[in-house]
Amino acid sequence: MTETGDAVEHWLRGRVPERGLKPKAAAVLEVLLSQPRRACFGSAADLAELAGVNVATVTRTAQALGFAGWPALQQELRARYLSSLSASDVAEHHEVSGSPALASLHRDLDGIGALARRVAEVDVAGLATAIASAGRTLVVAKGSYAAVGAALTHNARLAGYPVELASDDADLANALARLGEGDVLLAISFWRLYQSTVLATEQAHARGARVFVLTDVADPALVRTAEQVLLVPAEGVAFFPSLTPGLALAQAVVAQLAAVDPARTRAHIEAAEAQWLRLGLLHRQPRRP
Amino acid sequence: MTETGDAVEHWLRGRVPERGLKPKAAAVLEVLLSQPRRACFGSAADLAELAGVNVATVTRTAQALGFAGWPALQQELRARYLSSLSASDVAEHHEVSGSPALASLHRDLDGIGALARRVAEVDVAGLATAIASAGRTLVVAKGSYAAVGAALTHNARLAGYPVELASDDADLANALARLGEGDVLLAISFWRLYQSTVLATEQAHARGARVFVLTDVADPALVRTAEQVLLVPAEGVAFFPSLTPGLALAQAVVAQLAAVDPARTRAHIEAAEAQWLRLGLLHRQPRRP
DNA sequence: ACAAATTCGCAATGACCATTGCATTTTCGC
DNA sequence: GCGAAAATGCAATGGTCATTGCGAATTTGT
């Protein structure tokens, strides 16, 4: 019996090469699965001692599992293990109370929590795959929720994918004229539904593009031409809807997109960051992990 | 659940010596509390960068708090943070599917959860009050995180406050020329720090405006002129930082702003919505609560 | 049984880490 | 304003880390 959840174990065992692992490497794997906290925080030497192997074997086992080395494996384990611990901590329903600011944050936690619980039904991977294989992707997002479109577009472009944002009607008209078979249109709409967004989905569909919708309300006019609708809660407090769950989902889409071809994503980001350094606009640019 | 967050903060603040901590050491403490995940895993150098201090100050702060050094403090933080996560999760070890999208959502839940637990310490009301009483408010937000600035600006304007966004240098130069006593500058900065954002805070301060900062990293150049710094975790998954906690806090600021004078806010929103109806651009406009 | 291939341990190596002495800067008290 | 004390930055230093080349041990195939 191991201490990790089935999913983490399933994932890790799925990375074992076809030829299998020899006894010492298998012992390392066993320690990772049976002592997840040590795996998350311990040094390679620490784990080696637990497994009764030399530290080099820990590195080599990580490499056999498809990682660059121990730190890369540990980071992934850490992310998965902590994610499994924390999700239900904050995903529970909150009573909206206290200061308006706290109420707002709690409402957002509820919204994202609900999204996380339903994410298996929301086919994020389907949208990410569509963007990855599209000739070009047009993101339509207007008004205040252009922010969500901008965030998604920015990161997707950074990852090297041909994604553009249309947040006003002139941009939209020009971009639609270039859309066709093999392209993707992603319509982002919360709260108010712009007539021009509806028309854009119809036009894109008529031109042979695939239509996806990210919205809080599946208005029939908006979803009529969509092959997929990603529903997101957008309830805020006081007078305003909240864009936070929408943004969280947009980022989740890009996280999934980045995982389609990680090497490509990394290469594009590094190239972009080299340009940033050359332009000298920044006071500070942190290193990426 | 909320109690566990307060408990870690209460415990840590209880270790502050009677003579208190000076600004740099206090910044370290603030980072430990506002970014618990980084505190658990990061090196002393990493935390120093977030706090805008030298690495030696991290060690000395740990010693001032009664620990032998940074590793001892980190181990205790780690134990308490993990304990706070698992205490409310005793029976239900959450299963993680392993999808990048779900990991992204869980990371955002972590970030906003950490923010919600500390919201009493983050003086959101102070910033909201400053905006409410300012002659004008300039929000400086560039690159991908202009999205956060745009969302805050949009809603604040809807509520009838004179808030404008500067997301490029021309806008920024023009807007700064009009800033003076009684005005507010809010600098929003995540990940990369633009030199022009730093210069904007200095200029605004020199012209007599009040400076506020919303950021993940307390870079000394950015916070030097600020009367208040709102720290937000911005850790994402894969290759990208996450804007979700920043957006959630921006919305929380506006929720607090709306509560300063609810009748005024409602009147302005209704007037704006009447205009929307007159312009006839929408396919659908839901009624507000 | 032998040779080749693979696995694994040892140890050198370079990178990164935390700590601390010294110098500089800032703060405090008079 | 000045001097002393405290805070903080810089950089040297020793320690630990992960990785990898080489050789030893083990396994595999003929």
Side-chain angles (χ1 to χ4, degrees):
Chain A
M1 187 60 195
T2 64
E3 289 294 326
T4 58
D6 287 344
V8 173
E9 177 159 3
H10 181 75
W11 160 74
L12 201 49
R13 289 200 190 278
R15 298 187 71 104
V16 176
E18 276 195 24
R19 66 177 194 271
L21 295 175
K22 285 295 187 279
K24 295 294 178 90
V28 171
L29 181 61
E30 204 53 37
V31 163
L32 297 184
L33 294 174
S34 64
Q35 305 205 38
R37 285 181 76 147
R38 294 292 280 269
C40 284
F41 298 117
S43 61
D46 188 31
L47 273 290
E49 187 178 350
L50 287 180
V53 303
N54 184 272
V55 62
T57 304
V58 173
T59 294
R60 292 185 182 121
T61 305
Q63 290 166 343
L65 296 173
F67 296 90
W70 166 245
L73 169 55
Q74 185 179 52
Q75 186 170 335
E76 189 71 24
L77 282 174
R78 190 180 279 163
R80 286 167 187 267
Y81 177 63
L82 284 190
S83 193
S84 74
L85 284 188
S86 63
S88 59
D89 179 16
V90 293
E92 297 166 2
H93 182 76
H94 299 83
E95 208 173 287
V96 177
S97 62
S99 74
L102 183 60
S104 179
L105 293 174
H106 281 169
R107 183 57 60 86
D108 282 341
L109 283 171
D110 286 348
I112 301 180
L115 199 47
R117 286 193 291 276
R118 302 181 40 243
V119 74
E121 307 153 32
V122 183
D123 190 14
V124 177
L127 173 54
T129 304
I131 293 173
S133 55
R136 78 171 43 95
T137 297
L138 176 63
V139 178
V140 182
K142 305 188 61 173
S144 60
Y145 48 90
V148 176
L152 187 154
T153 302
H154 180 271
N155 283 354
R157 291 179 71 88
L158 204 52
Y161 292 97
V163 179
E164 63 184 302
L165 173 70
S167 56
D168 68 54
D169 288 350
D171 287 343
L172 181 52
N174 293 333
L176 270 176
R178 298 194 300 269
L179 216 53
E181 290 273 358
D183 293 337
V184 163
L185 180 123
L186 172 62
I188 298 180
S189 168
F190 295 93
W191 195 254
R192 297 190 188 103
L193 176 55
Y194 290 81
Q195 183 63 23
S196 60
T197 300
V198 173
L199 292 177
T201 60
E202 291 165 354
Q203 276 297 299
H205 184 70
R207 302 180 70 90
R210 302 167 70 184
V211 176
F212 295 78
V213 171
L214 199 162
T215 185
D216 59 335
V217 178
D219 188 283
L222 182 62
V223 305
R224 185 166 59 83
T225 56
E227 69 174 76
Q228 192 189 341
V229 180
L230 287 69
L231 281 175
V232 196
E235 285 170 78
V237 293
F239 301 92
F240 306 105
S242 172
L243 295 179
T244 310
L247 177 63
L249 186 60
Q251 287 182 165
V253 168
V254 178
Q256 199 74 31
L257 181 63
V260 172
D261 187 344
R264 172 201 167 120
T265 301
R266 180 172 292 280
H268 277 273
I269 288 173
E270 281 170 0
E273 288 190 333
Q275 281 302 322
W276 277 102
L277 289 176
R278 243 169 257 140
L279 288 179
L281 298 175
L282 300 177
H283 181 93
R284 180 174 61 81
Q285 171 158 331
R287 220 171 9 161
R288 255 179 230 271
Chain B
M1 178 189 54
T2 301
E3 294 303 318
T4 55
D6 290 345
V8 173
E9 180 153 3
H10 183 75
W11 161 74
L12 200 49
R13 288 202 190 275
R15 298 187 70 104
V16 175
E18 277 194 24
R19 65 176 193 272
L21 295 174
K22 286 294 185 283
K24 293 295 176 88
V28 171
L29 182 61
E30 198 59 31
V31 162
L32 297 184
L33 295 172
S34 66
Q35 307 207 34
R37 201 183 160 102
R38 294 288 281 272
C40 285
F41 297 120
S43 62
D46 187 31
L47 272 293
E49 185 178 353
L50 287 183
V53 303
N54 184 272
V55 60
T57 304
V58 172
T59 294
R60 292 182 181 129
T61 304
Q63 291 165 346
L65 296 174
F67 297 89
W70 166 245
L73 171 54
Q74 183 178 52
Q75 189 170 336
E76 189 70 26
L77 281 174
R78 191 179 281 162
R80 288 170 184 266
Y81 176 65
L82 286 191
S83 188
S84 76
L85 289 187
S86 54
S88 57
D89 189 30
V90 168
E92 15 179 329
H93 197 126
H94 190 77
E95 298 298 337
V96 179
S97 72
S99 86
L102 186 60
S104 180
L105 293 175
H106 284 169
R107 187 60 62 86
D108 282 341
L109 282 169
D110 282 353
I112 301 180
L115 201 47
R117 284 194 290 275
R118 305 195 60 247
V119 73
E121 314 298 330
V122 183
D123 190 11
V124 176
L127 174 55
T129 304
I131 293 172
S133 54
R136 79 169 44 93
T137 297
L138 176 63
V139 178
V140 182
K142 306 187 61 173
S144 61
Y145 48 89
V148 176
L152 187 153
T153 302
H154 180 272
N155 283 354
R157 293 179 67 88
L158 205 51
Y161 291 97
V163 179
E164 63 183 305
L165 173 70
S167 55
D168 68 55
D169 287 350
D171 287 345
L172 181 52
N174 292 334
L176 273 175
R178 296 193 301 267
L179 215 54
E181 291 275 358
D183 293 338
V184 163
L185 181 123
L186 172 63
I188 298 181
S189 168
F190 294 93
W191 194 254
R192 299 189 186 104
L193 175 57
Y194 290 82
Q195 184 63 24
S196 60
T197 302
V198 174
L199 293 177
T201 60
E202 290 167 356
Q203 277 298 298
H205 184 67
R207 304 180 68 90
R210 301 167 71 184
V211 177
F212 296 78
V213 171
L214 198 162
T215 186
D216 60 334
V217 179
D219 189 284
L222 182 63
V223 303
R224 186 165 57 82
T225 56
E227 69 175 77
Q228 193 188 343
V229 179
L230 286 69
L231 279 173
V232 194
E235 280 175 273
V237 295
F239 302 91
F240 305 104
S242 171
L243 295 179
T244 310
L247 177 63
L249 186 59
Q251 287 182 165
V253 168
V254 177
Q256 199 73 34
L257 181 62
V260 172
D261 186 345
R264 169 198 168 123
T265 301
R266 179 173 294 279
H268 277 273
I269 288 172
E270 280 170 0
E273 287 188 335
Q275 282 300 324
W276 278 101
L277 287 176
R278 243 169 255 137
L279 290 180
L281 299 175
L282 300 177
H283 179 93
R284 180 177 55 86
Q285 173 159 330
R287 224 174 2 167
R288 266 183 219 267

